[in-house]
Amino acid sequence: MTDQPSKASKTEAIDHGRSTGAGSACKIVVIDGPDAGKEAKFTGDSVSIGTDTASDLALRDDTVSRRHLKITRGKDGYSAQDLGSTNGTTFEGSRIETCVLPPGAFITLGRTTVCLQPLDAAREVRPSKATRFGLLHGRSLRMRQAFALLEKVAPTEATVLIEGPTGVGKDLAARAIHEASARRDKPFVVLDCGAISRSLIESELFGHVRGAFTGAISDRAGAFERAQGGTLFLDEIGELDLDLQPKLLRALEQREVRRLGGDAMTRVDVRLLAATNRDLRTEMDRGAFRQDLYYRLSVVRVVLSPLRERLEDVPLLAKNFLVAAGGNPDDEIAGPNLDRLMAHRWPGNVRELRNCIERAAFMNHGGAPRFAELDLQMTLPKSSDVGIRTDLPFKEAKDRLLQVFESAYLSAVFDECSGNISRTARRAGIDRAHLKTLLRKHGLLAGKAEDETEET
């Protein structure tokens, strides 16, 4: 086995080898123990923790001292100080007296574990003036807020959790973070946790030695080792098996891995990025995702919104995709085709828009494709995507299903009628005034003036 670092050297590595998260607003959350879920915010420069009822975070754990720990916030970040407790304070496997803490740190006091959890950083940064970050593009407020956060966090060593539905560009965000970091010249390793079988995922993460399992004919480095010095991007982290999550957490905390079937521990220097299309807080509440791993991954959360919630980005994205497909950069993105794009619900998000523009451009005949001449074909929702809610009472589930049908039907007919209200009303057999009410209800008139949709 490799030599283990002494407590002193390990604490020194903690102090000097991590970003302290200066300027990041955090709170203290109890994630394990009798008071799980209890929290304390910094109303001053420090938070005191102990069983004394006068503590800022008063605990009921009888293995915690009355005055056990103080966490202080300074201009350079956060630090912890054990106050002479009986059972001590542990950080990353080592008992500490004083220690610099990174956001997302776990500290153990007796049977209680607390987390230095960052607040929602997206609310703390002003929107960027830029309309792109790496290969991500957008001029909407939501995207410029995301860009501002990405610009701020990319140069640091912070772990980042990128959330958003399939097709919004989470992989592009991860790549852009890496390219804007000091690790840009080192490996960028991607591991899709949803695309690897349960029997192989541990080997893919940590590697294996020859003979570890049937078919392991030679030693193989896992994703952590292959990303040495660079960035490891775990896509679809919400698909990671619950039994494997403690091992991933241990690798993140200890910064060392052991190959499957092996004994030696290998130190790794890796920045971790993760992405998911699931709501991990909901998964955590139902026991499908570990609390401690969630807090360790979400040091910084970046949320990429679905395209239907930021339709003002559609013209910019459409132009970029058209130019990439050979279109003229000076071509105007306007007219009936833009109306059709703005009226669509985009269940496949930016990926669907790109496919729509590229397909139409490649089918165009004669010279550079022009936006006004494209034959746009949007994807309609699949019946399997309707989503019957068996967890709801019959009436409420029925009402929700009808809302989904109403939105999908109107979107499809409105698209087929090129965004024209009069033709849509005749096709659907609906009074024009009532149709307008329904279109507004489902956001299908967004981005266009009503008189532009009328027949002349």
Side-chain angles (χ1 to χ4, degrees), residues 13 39 49 74 144 183 187 236 263 325 331 365 410 421 428:
E39 61 182 52
I49 305 174
R144 290 187 295 110
R183 296 175 180 262
E236 299 305 342
D263 295 319
D331 195 8
H365 299 290
L410 291 173
I421 288 180

Side-chain angles (χ1 to χ4, degrees), residues 5 21 33 62 78 92 100 106 108 205 213 221 223 245 261 266 310 324 344:
D62 59 11
Y78 294 85
E92 294 197 346
V100 173
F106 295 100
T108 301
L205 271 172
F213 53 86
Q245 291 176 23
T266 301
R310 48 185 179 94
H344 190 55

Side-chain angles (χ1 to χ4, degrees), residues 148-274:
L149 188 54
L150 290 167
E151 291 163 358
K152 186 175 182 181
V153 73
T156 74
E157 289 292 298
T159 302
V160 181
L161 177 63
I162 307 167
E163 299 179 335
T166 299
V168 293
K170 299 186 293 294
D171 54 337
L172 298 181
R175 169 68 73 173
I177 291 173
H178 173 74
E179 294 293 341
S181 75
R183 296 175 180 262
R184 66 181 67 89
D185 296 325
K186 299 296 183 179
F188 179 74
V189 176
V190 180
L191 186 67
D192 188 340
C193 300
I196 303 172
S197 67
R198 292 180 59 182
S199 61
L200 294 177
I201 185 67
E202 184 173 358
S203 170
E204 290 294 326
L205 271 172
F206 307 122
H208 62 254
V209 299
R210 180 181 179 182
F213 53 86
T214 302
I217 59 176
S218 62
D219 291 357
R220 184 175 185 273
F224 271 93
E225 290 185 68
R226 298 199 305 273
Q228 187 70 263
T231 303
L232 174 58
F233 174 44
L234 298 182
D235 201 5
E236 299 305 342
I237 188 69
E239 305 298 325
L240 191 65
D241 190 75
L242 190 61
D243 293 339
L244 192 55
Q245 291 176 23
K247 297 180 180 180
L248 174 59
L249 177 63
R250 191 176 306 115
L252 295 176
E253 290 295 323
Q254 304 295 338
R255 299 288 166 170
E256 56 187 18
V257 296
R258 181 172 58 197
R259 293 185 181 184
L260 191 62
D263 295 319
M265 302 297 293
T266 301
R267 299 290 293 176
V268 289
D269 172 23
V270 170
R271 182 188 188 177
L272 187 78
L273 308 177

Side-chain angles (χ1 to χ4, degrees), residues 18 79 225 250 437:
R18 300 274 189 89
S79 60
E225 290 185 68
R250 191 176 306 115
T437 299

